[in-house]
Amino acid sequence: MKSTISKQIFAIASLIIQFIIPFIGNAQQKSSRPNIIYIYADDLGYGDVSAYGATQIQTPNLDRLAIEGTRFTNAHSTSATCTPSRYGLITGIYPWRQQGTGILPGDAKLIIPIDRVTLPQIFKRAGYQTAIVGKWHLGLGMQVKKNWNGEIKPGPNEVGFDYSFIFPATADRVPTVFMENQRVLGLEDDDPIEVDYEHKVGNDPTGKEHPELLKMPSSSGHGHNQTIVNGIGRIGYMSGGHRSRWVDEEISTTFLTVAKEFIEKNQKEPFFLYFSLTEPHVPRMPATRFKGKSNLGYRGDAILQLDWTVGQLVEQIETLGLADNTIIIFSSDNGPVLDDGYDDGAVTLRNGHMPAGSLRGGKYSIFEGGTRVPFIVSGAGVAKKKVSNALICQMDLLASVADMLNQKIPSGEAVDSQSLWDVFLGTKNHGRSHLVEHAGSLGIIKDNWKYIEPSNAPVYAKLTDTELGNAATVQLYDLSNDIGEKKNVAARYPEVVKEMAELLEKERMGHK
Ligand code: NG6
Ligand code: CA
């Protein structure tokens, strides 16, 4: 009798161990370690998305994410250009604290310290598989002069990504190649690559010598006239690697395919995918089937391609049954620009489109158009149909996911990143109290006040037709009724000016 009871107890216990405990474990794992996909557009403006009010272009896939999630109206990149914004995202530190974080050439050395905490490392420590697919633009290797024909270290893999499939800088900078785990893809021994940003290397024609070979002229005075690849003049010189050079029209689908492969392969484990798109950065050369689709020129076509790409990824997540456990975050690294160096119709075919919406300025600008960007969070645990006006910055993701995943940040690291996970999920409304904005000069935003420090930096960029927002006098705007920063009210509110100037100074001196 006794032995039968104990047999029964044993049988029940083993049932619990075999089936119920693993199930509880799984369930916990599910809710506490969601997959995160961070989709980062390049130069997409606040007004480029129909969910943000665009009328000349429709972005149904982004709009769907916004409707099924939370759309932020006061979310920012740290800076008004690419490299510094990405530096902020990965390190959780304002890039203006660190020299050498401006727009990098394609042969730059790695600028992310490999002994400090980074966003992908937080995920890695929590047991995630991590990948970057897309544009990198944070430098590679220990020096500028490097051998592009072998493995280049350190790079994204040392920064915390288990897998990397990138192009090194921008689509308009050489080398125009893909790199998988820090090796150029498709390279052949008999045609090694050389890259130089000062002197011409090899015999490939340049845009300067042979403008008649260009299929898309560079806009006047703009550069983009060095080595020609696929009929497009680039910044920088390269020779060799002819069979490894990308086809511009295929860049986007190549990244999408690789991103989907990563997701498919890692669907059973939690993963973090940093999916860093090239659209709508110059040179805009969308896949042929998107050409002419938007009626706004290749820039608009590239935005349609971007939107389609997002839709493809969402569809894959749904098909694989991962929707319940995946969060998609979509944003842009800086504000928009129409003419960034090529005559591609973005200006002439603008058709009334307002890439920055009602914001003033754009890429390169300290006005809101420079750093206030689309920011949409959607998926597991995210508030649906919500519009949040909380002040947040991309740099805050680091501390936020660290908190969500119970990972400690060593003191003195990621010092500018604030833990706001519930705000990102749209379940809490209170974001940062203030944020420093960065372009040619610094600005600061707090309680809907915007202060721009006096500066001698240029007021206007003729090449890109951008109001840069710099001025020799103090500027203060009341964003609660003047989001377009039209009326400088500094003279009317001297006490606010003083408070904001002091706060900016405190931040500047803050963490070194
Ligand atoms: C500028 C380039 C511009 C673009 C930008 C980087 C010229 C005149 N302009 O220097 O075309 O490449 O750098 O953009 O060369 S970013 O989004 O990567 O910061
Ligand atoms: Ca950019």
Side-chain angles (χ1 to χ4, degrees):
M1 178 75 178
K2 207 174 164 196
S3 82
T4 335
I5 290 176
S6 56
K7 259 188 197 154
Q8 278 173 350
I9 291 174
F10 180 77
I12 291 169
S14 59
L15 254 176
I16 290 175
I17 289 166
Q18 266 185 58
F19 296 106
I20 299 177
I21 288 180
F23 177 76
I24 293 170
N26 252 343
Q28 272 175 355
Q29 228 177 38
K30 262 202 148 178
S31 59
S32 63
R33 291 199 301 172
N35 305 314
I36 308 277
I37 303 177
Y38 184 75
I39 309 177
Y40 214 17
D42 195 0
D43 299 1
L44 187 75
Y46 196 78
D48 276 326
V49 178
S50 38
Y52 281 81
T55 52
Q56 298 298 89
I57 192 158
Q58 294 303 312
T59 52
N61 293 293
L62 292 173
D63 297 1
R64 191 185 146 203
L65 278 188
I67 288 166
E68 292 176 1
T70 298
R71 179 173 73 84
F72 290 83
T73 60
N74 198 6
H76 297 254
S77 55
T78 61
S79 312
T81 51
C82 173
T83 301
S85 288
R86 286 154 203 261
Y87 180 92
L89 170 75
I90 302 282
T91 64
I93 297 173
Y94 281 126
W96 44 264
R97 295 197 191 284
Q98 184 61 45
Q99 287 231 316
T101 57
I103 301 171
L104 292 178
D107 60 352
K109 58 187 182 186
L110 179 71
I111 60 165
I112 306 284
I114 55 174
D115 55 349
R116 319 254 344 232
V117 77
T118 63
L119 179 63
Q121 265 162 17
I122 295 285
F123 284 106
K124 230 171 120 99
R125 281 186 208 164
Y128 278 59
Q129 285 298 309
T130 59
I132 169 172
V133 177
K135 167 175 174 164
W136 175 236
H137 213 184
L138 291 165
L140 292 166
M142 309 269 271
Q143 49 237 330
V144 169
K145 272 271 158 243
K146 54 188 147 261
N147 177 10
W148 288 91
N149 303 289
E151 188 186 6
I152 300 183
K153 276 166 106 165
N157 296 53
E158 285 69 36
V159 161
F161 293 103
D162 296 312
Y163 175 71
S164 65
F165 187 102
I166 59 167
F167 66 51
T170 56
D172 57 353
R173 283 170 174 74
V174 301
T176 54
V177 294
F178 297 119
M179 300 182 80
E180 187 174 37
N181 290 326
Q182 297 165 193
R183 281 176 191 274
V184 172
L185 216 66
L187 195 62
E188 297 192 358
D189 290 347
D190 62 352
D191 190 24
I193 289 188
E194 201 182 329
V195 175
D196 200 308
Y197 270 71
E198 281 171 10
H199 309 285
K200 184 177 170 181
V201 286
N203 298 318
D204 284 283
T206 65
K208 191 165 177 206
E209 300 157 350
H210 289 286
E212 76 284 0
L213 296 179
L214 297 173
K215 66 179 175 198
M216 191 165 59
S218 57
S219 27
S220 61
H222 231 304
H224 291 124
N225 61 1
Q226 294 169 338
T227 302
I228 299 174
V229 181
N230 303 330
I232 299 171
R234 316 279 166 164
I235 307 174
Y237 301 99
M238 79 181 278
S239 67
H242 288 86
R243 278 156 297 212
S244 68
R245 298 180 186 190
W246 69 52
V247 175
D248 290 80
E249 281 88 338
E250 291 178 0
I251 295 175
S252 184
T253 36
T254 303
F255 287 154
L256 174 62
T257 307
V258 176
K260 287 176 72 173
E261 278 169 10
F262 171 79
I263 294 171
E264 167 113 44
K265 197 167 152 213
N266 293 286
Q267 55 180 300
K268 298 248 150 60
E269 326 188 37
F271 62 80
F272 167 57
L273 170 63
Y274 171 32
F275 187 34
S276 177
L277 311 176
T278 180
E279 299 101 324
H281 194 281
V282 296
R284 298 150 189 147
M285 192 51 65
T288 306
R289 72 195 177 89
F290 285 103
K291 288 179 183 166
K293 250 191 143 175
S294 69
N295 290 324
L296 299 177
Y298 283 177
R299 183 174 188 277
D301 301 342
I303 294 173
L304 294 185
Q305 177 173 272
L306 175 160
D307 183 67
W308 175 83
T309 302
V310 171
Q312 291 296 299
L313 218 61
V314 171
E315 195 181 304
Q316 188 202 20
I317 294 296
E318 283 166 356
T319 313
L320 291 176
L322 298 176
D324 286 354
N325 194 33
T326 301
I327 295 175
I328 297 179
I329 304 174
F330 175 85
S331 195
S332 174
D333 66 340
N334 52 252
V337 57
L338 291 178
D339 182 347
D340 208 12
Y342 298 94
D343 274 336
D344 62 3
V347 176
T348 46
L349 297 171
R350 179 179 187 161
N351 228 351
H353 176 57
M354 303 284 284
S358 47
L359 308 180
R360 192 168 175 186
K363 181 177 183 178
Y364 310 113
S365 175
I366 191 66
F367 285 136
E368 289 298 284
T371 65
R372 195 184 287 226
V373 284
F375 197 100
I376 301 168
V377 185
S378 186
V382 181
K384 292 184 198 300
K385 290 196 179 116
K386 169 144 184 181
V387 179
S388 171
N389 60 7
L391 177 64
I392 55 167
C393 179
Q394 292 158 2
M395 175 176 77
D396 298 328
L397 272 174
L398 197 158
S400 304
V401 297
D403 242 7
M404 184 255 298
L405 297 170
N406 291 319
Q407 298 298 311
K408 260 197 131 50
I409 297 177
S411 87
E413 306 216 8
V415 287
D416 297 307
S417 185
Q418 294 191 7
S419 175
L420 301 168
W421 187 242
D422 293 338
V423 181
F424 282 112
L425 294 182
T427 52
K428 242 190 181 172
N429 294 324
H430 208 71
R432 297 175 146 260
S433 77
H434 60 275
L435 176 73
V436 178
E437 295 177 307
H438 168 227
S441 50
L442 295 184
I444 188 162
I445 180 168
K446 180 178 192 275
D447 297 335
N448 270 319
W449 290 108
K450 165 79 174 279
Y451 166 87
I452 302 174
E453 67 175 357
S455 141
N456 293 323
V459 174
Y460 174 71
K462 191 156 179 279
L463 285 179
T464 53
D465 184 24
T466 310
E467 289 189 287
L468 296 172
N470 307 304
T473 49
V474 162
Q475 296 173 80
L476 182 76
Y477 298 98
D478 179 358
L479 300 178
S480 65
N481 59 45
D482 180 24
I483 191 113
E485 293 166 282
K486 293 278 184 236
K487 197 163 175 270
N488 182 1
V489 293
R492 230 170 96 195
Y493 298 99
E495 69 294 347
V496 180
V497 167
K498 185 165 173 279
E499 187 199 328
M500 298 288 275
E502 279 171 8
L503 190 57
L504 177 58
E505 214 36 45
K506 210 172 124 204
E507 277 292 340
R508 201 195 317 260
M509 304 314 290
H511 321 272
K512 276 268 155 127

